Amino acid sequence: MAKGISDVSNFADRIFLQKMGEAHDTSKDFSPYSKKDFKEVKEYFNNECCFCGNNQIKLTGDHLVPINKTSLGLEAWGNIVPACSDCNSQKHSKDWVSFLFNVAGSLSKQRQKKIEEFIAKYQYSPDVDAIRIAVEELYEESGAIVLELIRLKTSRALARSKQMAEE
Ligand SMILES: [Zn+2]
C-alpha cells in the first residue's frame, strides 16, 4: 500500500470496529454503548481505575482490547473500562491481563476477576476470526479505492487547468 494511505485505511478500520460494536451490543439486547454510559461503567468499578485502583483523578474510558487492526477490540459494552490517565497511556496496546499484573500488585487476581465479571455481565464475546478477515479486507480495499479516486481527481484537475488555459 502506498505511503500516506495507511491513515485512511486505519481510520476505515476504526469506524468498522465501532459499527461492529454497535451490532454486537444490539445482538445482546443492549442499546449501543455511548459516552453517556461511562457513568454506569465507572460505578461498576466503584469509581476507581480498574487497573491500579486510583480514585483521586479523572477517569477516562480505556478499551480493554484496543480498537485497531491488530487487536480487533470493539466499541461495545464490556470492552470499555475506567482507567486513570497514567494507566491509559502506559497500557497502550499491551495485553490487559499482563498490564494489570504489572500495576496492581497483590490485588491483581481480585481485579482481574472483577474485570472478567464485567466482561461476562455485558456478554462481550466478538467473533474475532470473522472480524479479522473483514478488517484486513477493508484495510486493503479502502486504501485502493482512495488511491484510485486520487488518481482520477489528479487527472481531472490537470485536464481542467489545461482547458482553462486554452480558453
Ligand atoms: Zn490506574
Side-chain angles (χ1 to χ4, degrees):
M1 181 142 327
K3 239 170 79 184
I5 294 295
S6 62
D7 284 350
V8 170
S9 300
N10 284 324
F11 185 71
D13 275 350
R14 194 178 164 86
I15 302 290
F16 170 76
L17 293 167
Q18 285 172 2
K19 293 288 172 198
M20 281 302 291
E22 287 178 24
H24 184 273
D25 283 338
T26 304
S27 76
K28 306 288 180 184
D29 286 334
F30 295 113
S31 56
Y33 182 85
S34 77
K35 289 220 174 350
K36 66 174 168 45
D37 296 317
F38 189 49
K39 191 169 178 282
E40 182 176 331
V41 170
K42 282 191 290 190
E43 278 163 10
Y44 185 94
F45 289 96
N46 309 314
N47 294 296
E48 294 172 350
C49 171
C50 73
F51 302 113
C52 74
N54 189 335
N55 62 2
Q56 300 301 312
I57 60 164
K58 195 173 177 286
L59 297 168
T60 55
D62 178 62
H63 293 100
L64 267 183
V65 181
I67 301 203
N68 58 46
K69 81 188 238 283
T70 317
S71 304
L72 306 171
L74 302 182
E75 177 87 0
W77 281 105
N79 194 40
I80 294 142
V81 291
C84 68
S85 52
D86 280 355
C87 285
N88 211 333
S89 59
Q90 284 164 29
K91 175 175 159 280
H92 202 52
S93 58
K94 290 188 199 87
D95 167 64
W96 71 265
V97 180
S98 48
F99 175 76
L100 175 69
F101 276 70
N102 281 336
V103 295
S106 62
L107 293 170
S108 296
K109 278 249 175 283
Q110 187 186 322
R111 292 209 178 117
Q112 180 185 4
K113 189 163 172 276
K114 178 101 180 160
I115 294 171
E116 282 169 353
E117 282 166 2
F118 173 74
I119 296 168
K121 180 185 178 192
Y122 291 107
Q123 303 170 52
Y124 181 76
S125 57
D127 182 343
V128 176
D129 292 332
I131 291 169
R132 179 174 290 107
I133 292 168
V135 155
E136 285 172 0
E137 286 176 353
L138 180 61
Y139 188 89
E140 291 302 323
E141 290 164 15
S142 57
I145 286 168
V146 169
L147 266 182
E148 192 49 42
L149 262 179
I150 289 170
R151 252 181 236 119
L152 185 68
K153 298 296 173 190
T154 306
S155 61
R156 276 196 192 158
L158 290 172
R160 204 171 286 135
S161 154
K162 198 175 159 214
Q163 193 185 14
M164 282 168 161
E166 282 166 359
E167 277 171 7

